[in-house]
């Protein structure tokens, strides 16, 4: 027999007026719910009210069918809560188990006291040129799963594996390979547009500059104070980005205002929802079960709603991605996606034909030198990214070799991407190295700017002397020890005390710059690696992930569309097993990373992933790799860009002509 006080309370709470008693079958279902979940009649009544609001309170009446539906809803809610708690517990366990094993020396745990106590020798210190100082013998060694060797193992797209997959590599397992003994020096490992030939270098450097550089960036906006972020400013930047894409999507698909709706609101009608992809959990990687859509304050009051993507045949999502989805939220619990609407791409870069004709003439040495017998020589551009020296020394031999190559080929422009003095380099991080014997250096007053001037600016000055009209472009990194700006977007480094030649120019990170007509977008953030770890994909059209990640940048019109950045624990670790610096993102100034008006012709995105050169949406995407790996030589990219074709008809019409750099440029990925 049922408990009489509970039965009376159920009658009081659930009996619809004017009736004062519940039918026996309904009463039995309610008692069953109370027994199964050990809840009180009052708590069950709260769940019933919540269920009515979800299903539509004006139409929902308590009968046998709705009582059984309520029972099912309570059970499903309990299961969701149980799964969520289990997910959090398993994430905590993964973090605990996945800690990196460390060797313990005889001095102290983790060598934490080495070098901190005065007059205490620190094992492993090296001289600045790679020789031992005599009192220190231990060398830095990289585990077999070091970052760059794992990225090198993923060089074949057909056999691509995530770079955190352990791979055996003889280079990382043994001692560092001396740079002079590096194998396959100068070997080309990948070529884009091989039908275009690389011309022989000129006998003498050009008498006049062949490249005119225009920077399409407002430097004043990059001079903000890092580490002074306000949450209100950051939220407004993120919110405005969603609203901007709503306008773009409406114009692109010719939608009415009524087509858009709040995906978090219950409705039986299809709506178009524009928002930001996010995860419902702070732990773990994004997956189909954790997908949520974050709305703007204007369209959805900033609410987040779970996404159900079972009906989609293909999708690629990552945290921070702005998407336009067509679907319905019939239950009020989740937004069921029926279609992903495409977002419009920025138009390709174009230049008036008169300007293109002048650029072509400058490639031949000037307007007077342009005739049928003197065809313009293609532009020669070298691109390299740091680190520029191995972990066991600060000799910067790869940088010297690159400058020698640029001098021999009379390169028009050399683009050097940070880090230059890497904060993750063992010797720079410890500060325990010897300066070279130079009478102009006072060890007592030497700074990191002094180290840069001696080790990096010196070979660049020699290059500028050999090729007086060369254009040297330097882009800082958040890992640069010489940069006072420690967050991304990053201001350019001060050239004042670095001893750079007049041909060298420091630009911001990121930057859009033009070399003649060629629009080049550059960022030293390793966004490709972070997108690879953050992406969840089902049946993507582009099977090669190395080609899929740059497409996200082009579609999102941003150098760093990922938000929040990937946790440092998931990124490729440093040679000693410690964590990398990560993105160091300043959300309040994310707008400085947007592409404002056109797509770049060339997108340079250095990454720890395998180096490559690909054409994605008419954009030549280049990952030059790193010039130096932790225990050996690395790679760089050489771009050969042929002149644009300008007809008399184009000049008469006067309309801007598309650059089509992807058709007239050759890219070679080479070993230094």
């Amino acid at each position: 027999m049922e408990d009489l006080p509970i039965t009376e309370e159920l009658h009081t709470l659930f009996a619809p007026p004017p009736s004062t008693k519940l039918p026996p079958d309904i009463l039995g279902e309610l008692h069953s719910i109370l027994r199964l979940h050990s809840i009180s009649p009052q708590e069950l009544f709260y769940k019933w009210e919540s269920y009515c609001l979800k299903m539509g309170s004006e139409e929902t009446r308590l009968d046998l069918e709705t009582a059984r539906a309520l029972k099912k809803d309570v059970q499903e809610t309990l299961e969701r809560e149980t799964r969520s708690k289990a997910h959090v517990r398993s994430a905590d366990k993964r973090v605990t188990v996945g800690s990196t094993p460390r060797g313990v020396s005889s001095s102290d745990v983790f060598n934490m006291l080495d070098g901190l106590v005065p007059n205490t020798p620190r094992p492993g210190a090296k001289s600045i040129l790679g020789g031992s100082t005599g009192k220190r013998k231990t060398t830095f060694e990289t585990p077999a799963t070091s970052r760059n060797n794992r990225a090198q193992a993923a060089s074949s797209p057909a056999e691509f594996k995530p770079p955190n997959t352990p791979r055996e590599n003889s280079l990382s397992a043994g001692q560092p390979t001396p740079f002079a003994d590096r194998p396959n020096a100068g070997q080309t490992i990948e070529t884009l547009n091989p039908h275009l030939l690389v011309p022989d270098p000129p006998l003498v450097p050009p008498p006049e500059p062949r490249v005119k550089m225009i920077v399409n960036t407002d430097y004043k906006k990059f001079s903000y104070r890092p580490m002074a972020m306000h949450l209100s400013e950051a939220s407004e930047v993120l919110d405005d980005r969603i609203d901007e894409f709503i306008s773009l999507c409406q114009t692109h698909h010719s939608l009415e205002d009524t087509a858009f709706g709040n995906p978090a609101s219950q409705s039986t009608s299809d709506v178009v929802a524009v928002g930001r992809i996010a995860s419902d959990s702070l732990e773990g990687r994004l997956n189909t079960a954790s997908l949520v859509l974050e709305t703007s304050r204007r369209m959805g009051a900033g609410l987040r709603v779970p996404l159900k993507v079972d009906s989609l045949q293909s999708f690629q999502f990552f945290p921070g991605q702005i998407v336009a989805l067509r679907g319905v939220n019939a239950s009020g619990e989740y937004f069921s996606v029926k279609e992903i609407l495409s977002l419009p791409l920025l138009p390709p870069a174009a230049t008036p034909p008169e300007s293109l004709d002048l650029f072509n003439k400058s490639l031949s040495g000037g307007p007077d030198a342009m005739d049928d017998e003197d065809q313009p020589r293609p532009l020669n551009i070298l691109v390299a990214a740091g680190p520029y020296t191995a972990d066991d020394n600060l000799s910067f031999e790869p940088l010297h070799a690159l400058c020698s190559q640029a001098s021999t080929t009379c390169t028009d422009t050399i683009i050097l991407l940070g880090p230059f003095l890497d904060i993750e380099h063992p010797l720079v991080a410890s500060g325990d190295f010897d300066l070279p014997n130079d009478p102009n250096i006072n060890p007592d007053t030497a700074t990191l700017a002094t180290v840069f001037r001696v080790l990096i600016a010196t070979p660049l000055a020699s290059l500028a002397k050999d090729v007086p009209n060369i254009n040297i472009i330097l882009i800082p990194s958040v890992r640069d020890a010489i940069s006072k700006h420690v967050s991304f977007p990053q201001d350019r480094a001060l050239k004042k005390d670095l001893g750079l030649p007049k041909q060298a120019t420091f630009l911001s990170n990121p930057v859009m710059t033009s070399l003649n007509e060629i629009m080049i977008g550059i960022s030293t953030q390793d966004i490709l690696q972070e997108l690879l770890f953050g992406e969840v994909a089902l049946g993507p059209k582009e099977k090669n992930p190395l080609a899929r990640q740059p497409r996200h940048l082009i579609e999102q019109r941003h150098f760093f569309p990922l938000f929040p950045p990937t946790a440092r624990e998931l990124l490729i670790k440093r040679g000693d097993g410690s964590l990398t610096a990560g993105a160091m993102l300043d959300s309040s100034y994310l707008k400085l990373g947007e592409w404002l008006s056109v797509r770049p012709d060339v997108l340079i995105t250095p990454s720890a992933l395998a180096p490559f050169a690909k054409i994605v949406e008419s954009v030549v995407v280049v990952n030059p790799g790193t010039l130096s790996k932790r225990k050996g030589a690395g790679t760089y990219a050489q771009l050969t860009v042929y002149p644009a074709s300008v007809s008399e008809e184009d000049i008469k019409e006067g309309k801007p002509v598309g650059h089509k750099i992807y058709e007239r440029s050759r890219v070679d990925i080479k070993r230094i």
Side-chain angles (χ1 to χ4, degrees):
M1 182 176 179
E2 302 292 349
D3 187 73
L4 291 179
I6 294 179
T7 302
E8 290 299 326
E9 190 172 359
L10 289 175
H11 285 310
T12 303
L13 293 172
F14 289 91
S19 174
T20 58
K21 298 289 183 179
L22 289 171
D25 51 354
I26 298 178
L27 186 63
E29 290 292 342
L30 297 181
H31 273 291
S32 175
I33 298 174
L34 296 181
R35 286 194 304 270
L36 285 174
H37 302 287
S38 300
I39 58 178
S40 65
Q42 186 66 53
E43 187 175 354
L44 178 60
F45 182 69
Y46 290 151
K47 293 183 181 296
W48 165 250
E49 288 186 323
S50 175
Y51 178 79
C52 290
L53 292 174
K54 181 166 59 178
M55 302 304 296
S57 58
E58 296 181 357
E59 302 176 0
T60 306
R61 296 289 183 268
L62 183 62
D63 53 24
L64 182 60
E65 182 179 354
T66 55
R68 290 174 176 172
L70 172 64
K71 183 178 181 180
K72 182 179 179 182
D73 181 79
V74 173
Q75 181 66 29
E76 290 178 349
T77 302
L78 177 64
E79 290 176 355
R80 281 197 302 271
E81 293 175 352
T82 303
R83 285 196 301 268
S84 176
K85 293 177 181 178
H87 176 71
V88 172
R89 287 195 298 268
S90 63
D92 292 340
K93 291 180 181 179
R94 286 197 300 271
V95 172
T96 303
V97 174
S99 57
T100 305
R102 301 174 185 266
V104 181
S105 69
S106 59
S107 56
D108 62 87
V109 179
F110 302 143
N111 294 326
M112 293 177 64
L113 300 181
D114 287 349
L116 297 181
V117 182
N119 301 323
T120 301
R122 178 184 178 86
K126 292 287 181 178
S127 71
I128 200 166
L129 299 179
S132 174
T133 58
K135 62 181 179 180
R136 308 176 180 97
K137 299 180 180 180
T138 305
T139 59
F140 289 94
E141 295 184 359
T142 307
T145 57
S146 70
R147 175 176 70 175
N148 291 302
N149 289 320
R150 284 178 293 195
Q152 185 180 6
S155 59
S156 175
E159 301 176 356
F160 179 84
K161 293 186 178 181
N164 61 336
T165 303
R167 292 284 192 95
E168 291 186 2
N169 190 297
S170 59
L171 181 63
S172 61
Q175 294 296 322
T177 302
F179 185 76
D181 300 334
R182 65 193 186 280
N184 304 319
Q187 178 187 23
T188 300
I189 61 177
E190 183 176 340
T191 299
L192 179 68
N193 290 336
H195 62 281
L196 299 175
L197 302 179
V198 178
D200 295 331
L203 298 178
V204 294
E208 295 181 4
R210 291 173 11 108
V211 174
K212 179 181 179 182
M213 184 177 71
I214 300 176
V215 180
N216 306 301
T217 299
D218 187 357
Y219 285 136
K220 294 181 181 179
K221 295 181 179 179
F222 281 85
S223 59
Y224 66 90
R225 283 193 309 154
M227 303 177 67
M229 184 190 305
H230 298 283
L231 291 180
S232 59
E233 295 178 0
S235 65
E236 289 175 2
V237 170
L238 297 172
D239 205 59
D240 291 345
R241 183 165 166 79
I242 298 177
D243 291 337
E244 290 172 4
F245 272 84
I246 291 176
S247 301
L248 292 173
C249 181
Q250 183 174 11
T251 303
H252 182 64
H253 293 281
S254 302
L255 299 174
E256 299 291 337
D257 292 341
T258 54
F260 295 90
N262 180 5
S265 298
Q266 181 182 0
S267 173
T268 57
S269 302
D270 286 4
V271 296
V272 175
V274 179
R276 178 179 291 104
I277 293 294
S279 175
D280 65 355
S281 173
L282 297 178
E283 302 290 342
R285 295 175 60 176
L286 186 69
N287 55 67
T288 54
S290 63
L291 280 173
V292 297
L293 186 70
E294 179 180 294
T295 62
S296 68
R297 282 173 286 190
R298 181 169 69 90
M299 292 299 296
L303 296 175
R304 287 185 171 187
V305 58
L307 293 180
K308 187 175 182 180
V309 293
D310 298 345
S311 61
L312 296 179
Q313 300 297 320
S314 174
F315 61 81
Q316 304 94 46
F317 294 134
F318 63 87
Q321 180 183 11
I322 306 298
V323 294
L325 308 174
R326 190 190 301 275
V328 63
N329 186 349
S331 65
E333 289 187 345
Y334 56 82
F335 187 73
S336 181
V337 183
K338 299 180 179 180
E339 181 186 2
I340 302 176
L341 302 183
S342 61
L343 297 176
L345 302 180
L346 284 170
T351 300
E354 297 84 358
S355 299
L356 287 177
D357 192 45
L358 290 176
F359 290 140
N360 288 346
K361 291 179 179 179
S362 68
L363 297 181
S364 298
D368 298 334
M370 186 65 177
D371 54 43
D372 295 337
E373 297 179 357
D374 188 10
Q375 293 298 323
R377 184 168 54 87
L379 276 179
N380 182 16
I381 303 173
L382 297 185
V383 181
Y388 292 92
T389 189
D391 273 4
D392 64 331
N393 66 78
L394 288 177
S395 61
F396 285 88
E397 291 176 291
L399 179 61
H400 284 266
L402 182 69
C403 290
S404 177
Q405 174 70 12
S407 176
T408 302
T409 59
C410 294
T411 298
D412 297 298
T413 298
I414 181 170
I415 301 175
L416 302 176
L417 313 174
F420 300 99
L421 289 178
D422 191 358
I423 60 174
E424 296 184 1
H425 191 286
L427 301 181
V428 174
S430 66
D432 195 358
F433 55 83
D434 296 333
L435 291 170
N437 295 325
D438 190 325
N440 297 323
I441 299 177
N442 184 355
D444 296 330
T445 60
T447 63
L448 288 173
T450 308
V451 177
F452 182 96
R453 184 170 65 249
V454 173
L455 301 180
I456 297 175
T458 299
L460 296 181
S462 299
L463 172 61
K465 184 178 179 181
D466 295 338
V467 188
N469 290 314
I470 193 173
N471 190 24
I472 303 174
I473 298 175
L474 299 96
I475 312 293
S477 165
V478 293
R479 286 164 46 189
D480 262 311
I482 61 168
S483 178
K484 296 181 179 180
H485 209 274
V486 296
S487 60
F488 180 89
Q490 184 181 18
D491 197 7
R492 50 186 177 167
L494 298 177
K495 184 181 173 182
K496 178 181 177 183
D497 301 324
L498 300 180
L500 291 169
K502 65 178 182 179
Q503 293 90 336
T505 305
F506 252 115
L507 303 182
S508 60
N509 173 33
V511 68
M512 279 280 194
T513 184
S514 296
L515 302 180
N516 291 350
E517 81 279 8
I518 309 170
M519 179 71 72
I520 302 180
I522 310 173
S523 172
T524 59
Q525 287 289 98
D526 192 352
I527 180 61
L528 300 183
Q529 180 192 173
E530 297 205 29
L531 283 175
L532 181 66
F533 282 108
E535 182 190 51
V536 54
L538 173 67
K541 297 178 181 178
E542 177 58 66
K543 302 299 182 182
N544 183 2
L546 293 182
R548 196 165 63 238
Q549 309 314 320
R551 190 180 302 275
H552 292 318
L553 306 185
I554 297 171
E555 292 177 347
Q556 296 292 301
R557 309 178 175 200
H558 205 284
F559 284 105
F560 200 95
L562 186 72
F563 185 85
T566 302
R568 296 196 302 159
E569 292 79 7
L570 298 178
L571 299 178
I572 301 174
K573 293 181 174 57
R574 296 162 57 179
D576 59 358
S578 59
L579 301 179
T580 61
M584 294 194 269
L585 197 66
D586 195 320
S587 304
S588 301
Y589 295 90
L590 276 179
K591 198 170 183 63
L592 296 178
E594 291 183 355
W595 303 356
L596 298 180
S597 55
V598 296
R599 269 178 283 168
D601 297 311
V602 180
L603 177 61
I604 301 175
T605 57
S607 173
L609 304 180
F612 65 86
K614 299 185 181 298
I615 299 175
V616 182
E617 297 292 350
S618 304
V619 178
V620 179
V621 184
V622 180
N623 169 21
T626 57
L627 194 66
S628 175
K629 299 183 182 299
R630 299 202 176 276
K631 292 202 172 187
T635 58
Y636 69 97
Q638 179 180 359
L639 281 71
T640 304
V641 185
Y642 278 75
S645 299
V646 183
S647 63
E648 294 294 335
E649 184 179 351
D650 292 332
I651 296 177
K652 289 181 180 179
E653 292 182 359
K655 296 181 180 179
V657 179
H659 298 165
K660 297 184 179 180
I661 299 297
Y662 59 92
E663 292 182 351
R664 54 188 179 94
S665 64
R666 171 185 172 126
V667 183
D668 293 291
I669 306 295
K670 295 185 174 183
R671 300 186 190 275
I672 186 62

